[in-house]
Each structure stands twice: as C-alpha cells, then as structure tokens.
Amino acid sequence: MDKSEYYLDIALTVAKKSTCLKKHYGAVIVNNDEIVATGFNGPPRKEEHCITCTKKQGNGDMDEYCSCPAVHAEMNAIISAARREMVGADIYLAGFDVRTNEEYKDAWPCEICLRLIKNAGINRIINRTGVIYQRDKKTGILDRWYFRTLIDKMDYLNQKGN
C-alpha cells in the first residue's frame, strides 16, 4: 500500500464520523509524513445534527451551500491546525454516499473549501484519482492538476462509463 492509499483510507475512516444524511466526507492534512489534522462534515460544534436534509435540490450552486448547516470536512481539518503546520502540506479527501455506501473516487472540494485550502498554504489536494490540485513551484498558485497524463484521464473516464 502506498502512502496516498494509506492516508485516503484514514480519510475514509474519518468520514464515518460524519452525521450528514447524504454524504460522508473525511479530510486528512499531512505534512512531512505526519498527520496534522483530520476533519469530517457535520454541524458546527455544540449544534444539533440534521433530522432532515435542508439542502435544496439543485445544481450545486451557492444556494445549496447556504441552505446546508454542515461544516465541510476540509473546513474542520483546517480550523483544527495551525497555519505553520499546513504550509506545504497535502490534504487527502475521501467520502461515500450514505444511501448506497458507495465510495466517491473523485471527491473534490467545493469552491469555498478550495479558497480555504489555498489560503492555508496547502500544497496538493489528493483523492483516489490522484493529485487533483497542485501548487505551482514558480508562481506559488494552487491550480488544477487534473490528471497526471492524458492516458490516466481516459482510463478514468472509461471506468466511469463516460
């Protein structure tokens, strides 16, 4: 088992602590091969868990995020760590659908979490498909990496049936 799979398995285990009625996500921040922080999606501390899902059925736009009271896994991991521990770190994302128990191989941060990850100084975002964002060494900007090669992308799309 390589290190990415190891940390993604930990993120998936952390996701099991989620109380969301639809999706369980876990995040693990790792710097210099040490876990800095973990997080899972759920209500703010000391607040009630959802009884019914308040997300609007939509296309993932801002209204959907505003109607959901959950703190995302990435957010919880970031607020649990000091910035000096996150600069240059990697964040591993994993999750699964509560209804089907199917793992999301392509867990992605939402736009708000992506901004937090960028500002925290995190170097790479990794899910089961590999590195999906990586900080450019010249500019210091965290940008989409997508897939390591076009062949990897084609294999991934074929597996999804697209």
Side-chain angles (χ1 to χ4, degrees):
M1 171 185 295
D2 71 356
K3 286 183 183 181
S4 288
E5 291 300 315
Y6 173 74
Y7 291 124
L8 287 165
D9 287 348
I10 292 171
L12 197 58
T13 299
V14 170
K16 292 176 183 176
K17 290 186 70 175
S18 172
T19 58
C20 180
L21 301 173
K22 287 188 175 181
K23 298 177 181 181
H24 287 200
Y25 269 86
V28 177
I29 299 173
V30 177
N31 200 349
N32 295 320
D33 211 19
E34 290 186 19
I35 295 175
V36 171
T38 63
F40 58 91
N41 58 320
R45 286 182 176 102
K46 310 270 186 198
E47 291 192 16
E48 296 289 321
H49 302 295
C50 296
I51 297 169
T52 60
C53 188
T54 59
K55 276 189 178 178
K56 296 177 182 174
Q57 298 300 321
N59 57 4
D61 62 10
M62 195 49 94
D63 284 341
E64 185 175 333
Y65 292 115
C66 292
S67 67
C68 178
V71 179
H72 293 186
E74 305 93 307
M75 294 174 182
N76 272 322
I78 288 169
I79 63 174
S80 295
R83 186 169 190 282
R84 69 181 176 280
E85 296 175 312
M86 292 185 287
V87 173
D90 296 331
I91 188 166
Y92 294 84
L93 304 178
F96 61 94
D97 185 303
V98 175
R99 295 159 293 193
T100 65
N101 211 31
E102 185 177 333
E103 183 179 354
Y104 299 120
K105 304 290 185 191
D106 56 350
W108 285 75
C110 74
E111 290 300 317
I112 295 169
C113 287
L114 181 58
R115 285 184 231 152
L116 292 171
I117 291 166
K118 287 178 176 183
N119 216 36
I122 292 171
N123 219 24
R124 298 185 310 164
I125 304 172
I126 301 164
N127 67 19
R128 293 279 185 201
T129 66
V131 176
I132 56 174
Y133 282 85
Q134 183 162 325
R135 195 169 296 280
D136 185 278
K137 290 179 182 176
K138 290 181 184 176
T139 65
I141 295 172
L142 185 69
D143 203 2
R144 285 190 175 169
W145 181 256
Y146 287 110
F147 301 91
R148 288 179 289 270
T149 67
L150 181 58
I151 294 170
D152 287 344
K153 183 174 182 179
M154 295 308 292
D155 286 345
Y156 175 74
L157 293 174
N158 287 334
Q159 288 173 5
K160 286 195 75 149
N162 294 333

